[in-house]
């Protein structure tokens, strides 16, 4: 994204993403799209936390104990004070908070109120690792930055449009309703941003396009988007369902859980850890970074080859399924760490899909893409694109919409 011709932006948004032991932030110019400063505080609550602040092309590091998220945010504000940019001069007009689970309640970004905070808390059983720290982030930021509006942007909101048939699990409906067991999706901010970017890049009305978006990062998800409206997505009640991921299994027969509990003596928490952290390509090969995975494959490692094959097979299945859901497919887009950078994955995913009109041109596909790029050949039935995602910018722009900026 380009800066605003050297002029200071008229308004900026501070985007916050609080994890259980981390706080990520970015100061964003929502118009020009520039990240003016960004950083992360990691290992909050441990003996030694580390902070990394990037601004003016320089990185500043701090190592010290940080007891909680409030202290972490104070450290971040000190870094802005000491290293810059000066937040007062940056005209911060809103703080945008990433919140993972918005349940059935939120279909878009909202101004944070007491009621919104209560609902985020109520939804915590559905996202126990994410919603509580997201809410803590909101509370400490409101306390330290009380003069600007705070906006919650939900990872699930884009998928509130899923048809009932796609959102419903075929289980006893009374149990499902009582415990809010349904498919909410995740990565929605990215899928929405990228699917809109696609229309801009192609210069075609969003309403006319049937799209599949593949967000392939460490977490990975696919979506089917008809006319800008999400109609399917691969993540379910939690981000565990769907594609094979860096460390998550994605789809699995639920009976595997019963089997491991009954016959391997594993507790529910151990199985949770197994499926979320010790599975996916890492579980199969020992590596979850695709650069290392490819090195292993090239060295002849059979497990790494299998991991890549399983990953690609699942992706192809989803592309075929979503093609069927959409009826007609116009665009297939790759995004996130693997999708943007890994030309081998992109090329291999579409192998054998020529009959669906899906193919890539090897020259266009080659290399990492930091700009939106068409990688299918001219005249292809389905346009294949790589579009870098930018969740912080998307959150900043949604925050601006909410405050009417
Ligand atoms: P997340 O936000 O889910 O943590 P990202 O979207 O940042 O993940 O993606 C991170 C992943 O992207 C890494 O684990 C790695 O597998 C992959 N990746 C990053 N750079 C490259 C590259 N040059 N080639 C292949 N894969 C890459």
């Amino acid at each position: 994204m380009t800066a605003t011709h050297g002029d200071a932006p008229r308004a900026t948004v501070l985007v916050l993403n609080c994890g259980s032991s981390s706080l990520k932030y970015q100061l964003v110019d929502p118009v020009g799209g520039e990240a003016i400063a960004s950083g992360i505080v990691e290992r909050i609550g441990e003996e030694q936390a580390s902070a990394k602040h990037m601004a003016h092309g320089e990185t500043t590091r701090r190592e010290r104990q940080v007891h909680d998220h409030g202290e972490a945010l104070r450290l971040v504000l000190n870094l802005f004070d000491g290293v810059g940019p000066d937040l007062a001069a940056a005209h911060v007009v809103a703080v945008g908070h990433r919140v993972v689970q918005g349940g059935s309640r939120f279909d878009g970004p909202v101004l944070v109120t007491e009621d919104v905070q209560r609902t985020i808390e109520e939804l915590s059983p559905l996202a126990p690792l994410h919603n509580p720290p997201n809410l803590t982030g909101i509370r400490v930021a409101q306390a330290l930055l009380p003069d600007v509006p705070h906006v919650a942007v939900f990872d699930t909101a884009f998928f509130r449009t899923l048809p009932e048939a796609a959102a419903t699990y075929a289980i006893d409906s009374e149990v499902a309703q009582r415990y809010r067991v349904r498919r909410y999706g995740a990565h929605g901010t990215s899928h929405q941003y990228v699917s809109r970017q696609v229309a801009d890049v192609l210069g075609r009305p969003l309403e006319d396009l049937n799209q599949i978006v593949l967000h392939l990062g460490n977490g990975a998800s696919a979506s089917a988007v008809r006319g800008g409206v999400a109609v399917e997505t691969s993540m379910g009640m939690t981000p565990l369902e769907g594609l094979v991921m860096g460390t998550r299994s994605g789809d699995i027969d639920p009976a595997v859980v019963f089997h491991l509990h009954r016959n391997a003596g594993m507790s529910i928490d151990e199985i949770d850890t197994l499926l979320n952290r010790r599975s996916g390509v890492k579980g199969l090969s020992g590596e979850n970074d695709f650069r290392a995975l490819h090195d292993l494959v090239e060295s002849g490692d059979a497990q790494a080859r299998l991991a890549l094959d399983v990953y690609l097979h699942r992706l192809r299945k989803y592309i075929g399924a979503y093609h069927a859901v959409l009826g007609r497919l116009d665009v297939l887009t790759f995004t996130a760490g693997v999708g943007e950078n890994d030309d081998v994955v992109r090329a291999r995913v579409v192998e054998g899909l020529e009959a669906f009109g899906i193919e890539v041109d090897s020259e266009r596909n080659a290399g990492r893409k930091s700009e939106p790029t068409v990688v299918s050949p001219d005249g292809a039935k389905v346009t294949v694109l790589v579009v870098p995602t930018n969740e912080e910018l998307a959150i900043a722009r949604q925050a601006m919409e909410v405050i009417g900026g």
Side-chain angles (χ1 to χ4, degrees):
M1 289 286 166
T2 49
T4 46
H5 308 294
D7 296 335
R10 277 177 298 139
T12 59
V13 176
L14 182 64
V15 176
L16 295 183
N17 181 359
C18 279
S20 56
S21 64
S22 69
L23 185 159
K24 276 192 227 163
Y25 60 95
Q26 200 172 102
L27 182 66
V28 182
D29 168 4
V31 179
E34 189 196 0
I36 299 161
S38 64
I40 183 167
V41 184
E42 290 176 288
R43 297 193 296 283
I44 298 168
E46 293 179 31
E47 228 158 77
Q48 178 93 310
S50 72
K52 195 162 85 168
H53 179 77
M54 286 160 288
H56 318 300
E58 279 174 29
T59 301
T60 309
R61 291 172 203 277
R62 297 272 188 277
E63 301 272 331
R64 66 167 158 93
Q65 194 171 25
V66 174
H67 290 95
D68 53 34
H69 286 81
E71 208 175 312
L73 186 57
R74 274 196 295 278
L75 172 60
V76 170
L77 297 178
N78 280 340
L79 282 162
F80 273 106
D81 267 351
V83 182
D86 178 43
L87 280 181
H91 305 296
V92 179
V93 294
V95 180
H97 296 269
R98 180 180 188 210
V99 182
V100 165
Q101 180 55 266
S104 300
R105 164 90 185 268
F106 300 108
D107 60 2
V110 289
L111 199 64
V112 173
T113 60
E114 280 296 323
D115 180 46
V116 166
Q117 293 189 42
R118 247 191 323 273
T119 309
I120 294 171
E121 193 161 25
E122 272 165 30
L123 292 167
S124 286
L126 295 172
L129 298 179
H130 296 105
N131 272 32
N134 294 161
L135 187 57
T136 303
I138 288 174
R139 287 181 173 146
V140 302
Q142 276 191 324
L144 290 172
L145 300 162
D147 300 327
V148 285
H150 292 249
V151 175
V153 177
F154 298 92
D155 236 22
T156 48
F158 185 53
F159 298 119
R160 279 296 290 123
T161 56
L162 291 195
E164 284 296 296
T168 306
Y169 289 115
I171 63 169
D172 182 317
S173 53
E174 216 174 287
V175 173
Q177 263 174 19
R178 188 173 319 145
Y179 295 100
R180 293 187 275 209
V181 178
R182 60 178 283 145
R183 307 187 63 245
Y184 299 102
H187 287 157
T189 309
S190 176
H191 285 273
Q192 181 178 35
Y193 174 82
V194 168
S195 54
R196 290 183 179 176
Q197 281 282 104
V198 163
D200 282 353
V201 169
L202 298 179
R204 293 179 60 186
L206 183 63
E207 297 70 37
D208 291 354
L209 294 175
N210 281 3
Q211 310 190 38
I212 294 176
V213 177
L214 302 175
H215 176 112
L216 309 179
N218 210 4
S221 58
S223 67
V225 182
R226 180 183 288 127
V229 176
V231 294
E232 246 300 4
T233 194
S234 59
M235 286 178 166
M237 187 183 84
T238 76
L240 183 55
E241 189 179 338
L243 302 176
V244 175
M245 313 186 204
T247 65
R248 293 183 212 138
S249 62
D251 295 337
I252 197 164
D253 182 342
V256 170
V257 177
F258 320 143
H259 170 69
L260 292 176
H261 183 59
R262 290 182 187 131
N263 300 312
M266 291 177 77
S267 69
I268 293 300
D269 283 344
E270 283 168 340
I271 301 170
D272 190 334
T273 304
L274 173 81
L275 297 181
N276 275 295
R277 298 189 192 280
R278 293 170 47 208
S279 296
V281 290
K282 185 179 178 85
L284 288 169
S285 73
E287 283 293 348
N288 62 313
D289 189 304
F290 274 68
R291 289 160 286 198
L293 184 69
H294 289 305
D295 289 345
L296 281 179
V297 171
E298 269 161 40
S299 74
D301 187 299
Q303 273 303 116
R305 201 178 62 226
L306 177 64
L308 190 57
D309 286 346
V310 173
Y311 180 87
L312 295 168
H313 176 77
R314 182 80 51 86
L315 265 173
R316 271 190 220 109
K317 271 204 327 196
Y318 268 88
I319 293 170
Y322 287 6
H323 200 156
V325 166
L326 290 167
R328 182 199 81 231
L329 179 64
D330 302 306
V331 191
L332 172 73
T333 306
F334 290 92
T335 192
V338 178
E340 292 162 27
N341 295 306
D342 195 326
D343 50 5
V344 176
V345 163
R346 291 194 301 259
R348 287 201 51 200
V349 164
V350 303
E351 263 172 28
L353 298 184
E354 297 82 2
F356 291 83
I358 303 171
E359 53 186 312
V360 298
D361 175 276
S362 56
E363 262 175 47
R364 288 182 178 178
N365 182 51
R368 303 171 62 183
K369 309 292 180 201
S370 54
E371 294 293 331
T373 310
V374 173
V375 297
S376 48
D378 289 338
K381 198 163 149 218
V382 175
T383 305
V384 183
L385 278 168
V386 181
V387 173
T389 192
N390 190 338
E391 286 167 285
E392 289 79 12
L393 177 58
I395 290 171
R397 287 189 172 156
Q398 292 193 34
M400 290 299 280
E401 273 170 37
V402 168
I403 65 164

